[in-house]
Amino acid sequence: MNDHPIPPRRPMTLRDVSEASGVSEMTVSRVLRNRGDVSAATRERVLTAAKELGYVPNKIAGALASSRVNLVAVIIPSLSNMVFPEVLSGITDVLDQTHLQPVVGVTNYRPEREEKVIYEMLSWRPSGVIIAGIEHNDTCRRMLRAADVPVVEIMDVDGEPVDSVVGISQRRAGRLMAEAILKQGFEQIGFLGTQMPLDHRARKRFEGFTDTLAKAGREVVDQEFYSGGSALKKGREMTRTILERSPDLDFLYYSNDMIGAGGLLWCLEQGIEIPQRLGLAGFNGTELLDGLPRKLATMDAGRLATGREAAKIIAARADGSLTEPRRLEIEPKIEFGDTLRRYKP
Amino acid sequence: MNDHPIPPRRPMTLRDVSEASGVSEMTVSRVLRNRGDVSAATRERVLTAAKELGYVPNKIAGALASSRVNLVAVIIPSLSNMVFPEVLSGITDVLDQTHLQPVVGVTNYRPEREEKVIYEMLSWRPSGVIIAGIEHNDTCRRMLRAADVPVVEIMDVDGEPVDSVVGISQRRAGRLMAEAILKQGFEQIGFLGTQMPLDHRARKRFEGFTDTLAKAGREVVDQEFYSGGSALKKGREMTRTILERSPDLDFLYYSNDMIGAGGLLWCLEQGIEIPQRLGLAGFNGTELLDGLPRKLATMDAGRLATGREAAKIIAARADGSLTEPRRLEIEPKIEFGDTLRRYKP
DNA sequence: GTGAAAGCGCTAACAC
DNA sequence: GTGTTAGCGCTTTCAC
């Protein structure tokens, strides 16, 4: 064995590859980035050397030198609500075909977290920002605008976007559901939702919903809210509670599919006749609903499409093929399932 | 209005804050990072200037200069399986109390994607890597080792870790469940799982399961696999299929809670007596199970704890308070629910 | 096709 | 307490 003193391990650099291959740093860089003309021979030598050394380029240095970063900041309120991972899938689908890479930040629906996450993300100078919601405080909006980076706000188009926006109108979603419910002759309507004053999307949906009822001379007769715990279980409990308190209700509108599913299971166990005696509807168009004993009515919010379109906009802005802000409203689609339609169409 | 020509917008730098506040760049840097002594007065001036300009520091330059990056790479196979978001929650809980920040990469269970994601992540020189699974190909292992960064492999301790490792033994989890099932006198056991040769954790669990059955002179009598679609619905369909084919089965072991829940719902609808006629068990300890008509037996894999502990290790390595690799085996815990226990304990 | 020089926007180290 | 100098590891630009 040799017993030369081992010098302290220095992180590997281009220079190491350069020395190992006997080619200038500059040419090594060209090979590694596939830029400019390099002879096949040199190319080969560089690639071999890099591979043997296990060289991984330092993107920090690269980004600083070129002021180009292939990161796209994706800022969402939560990961435990399946809705956001689904949007992320859409984003990933599209970005995977580009050189761009999503980086996820989670705000937990807290504005001060949102500020922090935006700040942190922007400090890495990403090529674009995709952010859930269109309601952000002044600090957030100012940062986003000042960053001079393409921004796409998603999942809510009711408001003034910073730049581009893709998603459904939550108000319209609430309205459409209210109209469908009224059309089926339901009259005593209850609402069940999350206790989350900062979920602007749920709030707007509810507003659209109640406004429409009001125009028809109706109102939400009773309400029930929850926070934390198993949504399925909470849906069950809330449904029992609200029906005990207001036995005359003939429709329950849930702010998400999971609590709706819990409610549906409970109602079926009680032998409640659905939808004749009691109609039900959730929101989101979750895959899960397909496996229930009856299919809960819901509204597909086009999450996958939203993610895809948002990513396309960022990609197009990044490669210069798009320069103007876009506004893309996606149409929410009612799925009647087995719990909303009383009369045959 | 003034009509001076507007110079092309140059991204803002420390220098701008320096000029605006009349303080040297270095001191501005000190204030912004809370490093070293700065007089209250200068401090104030700098902060005001920075805020007014809406300055967001360039972390790329900072990271290059200091060779310190506050990013922790988190590499997981999927976001659509709730398991991983939950681990992420644990990680976030802990990292939120440090200056470290998680960055998520998704591999879709594909080794070539894993290679790419690791490479991309490492090229940003993160302070640590948390990666799902302990099975990685040689390229991946070499990169991780060469990166000279703390690495924590999670959710599977059966194998040789690159560095630290936190999680349950999947083989042991399979074994424990097999033992519990046998103890309850079940004899004709069927298995239902995902069609995913690359999910090593599911594979090891299954191996531990069948090995234990074998030692008791038993075997898995029939199996059924699925891929894609609504897991709840698939669970339903697979359960019907397997029971039609093998009506003598008296126990169904599902590789995850969601298909188990689908199976449970179907069995209840069929009026199958559970668990006397047929026992059921899933895997994961998903919150969802709490809302079902009966609680499915399952096994808590300690996902939150796994995430937390992994993050703690990274944080401790990063601040120098830990220097050795750690190995932390978490004990999986059977939850009997209402579908596994035939005899009163 | 290849190389040398300059500098991206910060911070470490040291001087004052 | 504050400022100066010299890089961090790449890429841009330009020369050859």
Side-chain angles (χ1 to χ4, degrees):
Chain A
M1 317 290 336
N2 74 46
D3 48 359
H4 295 301
I6 299 164
R9 178 114 140 258
R10 183 181 47 70
M12 204 179 317
T13 70
L14 256 192
R15 172 180 219 111
D16 297 297
V17 183
S18 165
E19 282 168 4
S21 61
V23 175
S24 79
E25 286 187 42
M26 197 49 237
T27 301
V28 172
S29 168
R30 279 197 267 258
V31 171
L32 263 23
R33 284 176 302 141
N34 266 319
R35 279 275 150 68
D37 291 329
V38 180
S39 75
T42 340
R43 199 184 157 62
E44 206 50 51
R45 281 165 60 201
V46 169
L47 253 19
T48 314
K51 181 144 219 173
E52 257 172 27
L53 294 171
Y55 172 68
V56 177
N58 185 333
K59 286 218 179 187
I60 296 175
L64 183 61
S66 66
S67 42
R68 254 193 291 277
V69 179
N70 69 338
L71 264 24
V72 176
V74 180
I75 303 175
I76 54 182
S78 156
L79 279 171
S80 48
N81 184 336
M82 280 308 294
V83 170
F84 301 106
E86 277 184 61
V87 176
L88 251 177
S89 290
I91 293 173
T92 313
D93 285 354
V94 172
L95 293 189
D96 275 357
Q97 304 170 49
T98 71
H99 66 117
L100 296 171
Q101 238 199 2
V103 177
V104 182
V106 177
T107 67
N108 292 318
Y109 288 100
R110 304 214 312 268
E112 72 278 13
R113 284 276 311 167
E114 182 168 87
E115 276 182 36
K116 203 188 157 207
V117 171
I118 292 177
Y119 186 84
E120 290 284 324
M121 293 284 195
L122 289 181
S123 69
W124 288 100
R125 303 290 188 265
S127 295
V129 175
I130 297 176
I131 183 167
I134 199 169
E135 311 281 343
H136 312 289
N137 67 28
D138 280 349
T139 313
C140 292
R141 294 172 65 87
R142 207 177 319 121
M143 280 193 289
L144 288 173
R145 230 186 313 260
D148 197 30
V149 146
V151 174
V152 184
E153 292 167 279
I154 56 172
M155 307 178 79
D156 180 3
V157 302
D158 302 324
E160 271 311 310
V162 169
D163 176 5
S164 296
V165 60
V166 177
I168 65 169
S169 159
Q170 298 284 345
R171 288 220 171 75
R172 182 168 159 72
R175 177 152 63 80
L176 288 176
M177 186 54 89
E179 286 167 357
I181 292 169
L182 291 172
K183 198 163 176 187
Q184 296 294 322
F186 294 104
E187 300 183 331
Q188 301 293 315
I189 299 164
F191 178 82
L192 302 92
T194 43
Q195 186 64 273
M196 237 200 272
L198 298 174
D199 183 345
H200 299 285
R201 290 176 289 290
R203 194 202 71 223
K204 289 177 178 177
R205 221 153 53 228
F206 184 60
E207 286 169 6
F209 188 74
T210 51
D211 286 357
T212 306
L213 292 191
K215 276 177 196 145
R218 302 239 155 248
E219 57 175 8
V220 166
V221 178
D222 196 357
Q223 320 186 11
E224 187 69 24
F225 297 93
Y226 81 104
S227 66
S230 158
L232 199 67
K233 186 178 182 193
K234 293 288 180 178
R236 215 172 245 286
E237 296 170 352
M238 292 159 77
T239 303
R240 180 166 51 77
T241 306
I242 202 172
L243 286 178
E244 279 175 9
R245 192 168 55 217
S246 310
D248 289 343
L249 289 174
D250 65 3
F251 200 94
L252 300 179
Y253 180 37
Y254 296 86
S255 78
N256 71 61
D257 286 339
M258 198 58 112
I259 54 175
L264 173 62
L265 286 176
W266 186 82
C267 290
L268 292 176
E269 285 164 32
Q270 303 301 309
I272 297 173
E273 206 186 335
I274 289 176
Q276 295 309 329
R277 160 73 191 82
L278 181 71
L280 304 171
F283 180 82
N284 268 337
T286 317
E287 219 178 33
L288 170 102
L289 299 184
D290 281 337
L292 296 175
R294 304 270 193 93
K295 189 152 180 346
L296 181 70
T298 188
M299 182 166 269
D300 181 358
R303 298 179 301 291
L304 212 63
T306 299
R308 287 220 179 93
E309 295 302 329
K312 278 189 208 162
I313 291 175
I314 294 294
R317 300 287 297 249
D319 73 19
S321 62
L322 178 71
T323 54
E324 290 301 297
R326 288 251 285 141
R327 182 199 144 89
L328 185 59
E329 183 169 341
I330 288 180
E331 183 64 16
K333 222 179 77 239
I334 289 194
E335 297 177 5
F336 281 83
D338 310 315
T339 66
L340 171 56
R341 189 175 273 129
R342 264 174 163 172
Y343 312 121
K344 293 292 155 228
Chain B
M1 314 291 333
N2 75 47
D3 49 358
H4 294 301
I6 299 164
R9 176 113 142 258
R10 184 182 45 72
M12 204 181 313
T13 70
L14 257 192
R15 171 180 220 111
D16 296 297
V17 183
S18 165
E19 282 168 3
S21 61
V23 176
S24 78
E25 286 187 41
M26 195 54 233
T27 301
V28 172
S29 168
R30 279 195 267 257
V31 171
L32 263 22
R33 285 177 299 143
N34 265 319
R35 278 275 149 67
D37 291 328
V38 180
S39 75
T42 354
R43 199 185 157 61
E44 207 48 52
R45 281 164 60 201
V46 170
L47 253 19
T48 313
K51 181 146 219 176
E52 257 174 27
L53 293 171
Y55 173 68
V56 177
N58 185 333
K59 286 218 178 186
I60 297 174
L64 182 61
S66 65
S67 43
R68 256 193 291 278
V69 179
N70 68 338
L71 264 23
V72 176
V74 179
I75 303 174
I76 54 182
S78 155
L79 279 171
S80 47
N81 184 336
M82 280 308 295
V83 170
F84 300 106
E86 278 184 61
V87 175
L88 251 177
S89 290
I91 293 173
T92 312
D93 284 354
V94 172
L95 293 189
D96 276 355
Q97 304 171 50
T98 71
H99 65 119
L100 296 171
Q101 237 199 4
V103 177
V104 182
V106 177
T107 68
N108 291 319
Y109 288 101
R110 304 213 313 268
E112 72 279 12
R113 283 278 311 169
E114 182 168 87
E115 276 183 35
K116 202 189 156 206
V117 172
I118 292 177
Y119 186 85
E120 290 285 324
M121 293 283 195
L122 288 181
S123 68
W124 287 101
R125 304 290 189 264
S127 294
V129 176
I130 297 176
I131 183 167
I134 199 171
E135 312 280 343
H136 312 289
N137 68 28
D138 280 349
T139 312
C140 292
R141 295 173 64 88
R142 208 179 317 123
M143 280 193 290
L144 288 173
R145 230 188 312 262
D148 198 30
V149 146
V151 175
V152 184
E153 291 167 280
I154 57 172
M155 308 179 78
D156 181 3
V157 302
D158 302 324
E160 272 310 312
V162 168
D163 176 6
S164 297
V165 60
V166 177
I168 65 167
S169 160
Q170 297 285 346
R171 286 218 172 73
R172 182 168 158 71
R175 177 153 63 78
L176 289 176
M177 186 53 88
E179 285 168 356
I181 292 169
L182 291 172
K183 198 164 175 188
Q184 296 293 324
F186 294 103
E187 301 185 329
Q188 301 293 317
I189 299 164
F191 177 82
L192 301 91
T194 43
Q195 186 65 273
M196 236 200 274
L198 297 174
D199 183 346
H200 298 286
R201 290 176 289 289
R203 194 201 70 224
K204 288 176 177 177
R205 220 153 55 227
F206 184 60
E207 286 169 6
F209 188 75
T210 51
D211 286 357
T212 307
L213 292 191
K215 276 177 196 143
R218 300 236 156 252
E219 56 175 12
V220 167
V221 177
D222 196 357
Q223 321 185 9
E224 189 68 24
F225 297 93
Y226 81 105
S227 66
S230 158
L232 199 68
K233 186 177 182 193
K234 293 287 181 180
R236 216 170 244 285
E237 296 170 351
M238 293 159 77
T239 303
R240 179 165 54 77
T241 306
I242 202 171
L243 286 178
E244 279 175 9
R245 192 169 56 216
S246 311
D248 290 343
L249 290 174
D250 65 2
F251 199 94
L252 299 180
Y253 180 35
Y254 296 86
S255 77
N256 70 62
D257 286 340
M258 198 57 112
I259 54 174
L264 172 61
L265 287 176
W266 186 82
C267 291
L268 292 176
E269 284 163 34
Q270 303 301 308
I272 296 173
E273 206 185 335
I274 289 175
Q276 295 309 329
R277 161 71 190 83
L278 181 71
L280 303 172
F283 179 81
N284 269 335
T286 316
E287 219 178 35
L288 169 101
L289 300 184
D290 282 336
L292 296 175
R294 306 270 193 91
K295 190 156 179 346
L296 181 70
T298 188
M299 181 166 270
D300 181 359
R303 298 178 302 289
L304 212 63
T306 299
R308 286 218 179 94
E309 295 302 329
K312 278 189 207 162
I313 292 175
I314 294 294
R317 301 286 299 249
D319 73 19
S321 62
L322 177 71
T323 54
E324 291 300 297
R326 289 251 285 142
R327 184 199 142 89
L328 185 59
E329 183 169 341
I330 288 180
E331 183 64 15
K333 220 178 78 239
I334 289 193
E335 296 176 5
F336 281 83
D338 310 315
T339 67
L340 170 56
R341 191 176 273 131
R342 265 173 164 173
Y343 313 121
K344 293 291 154 228

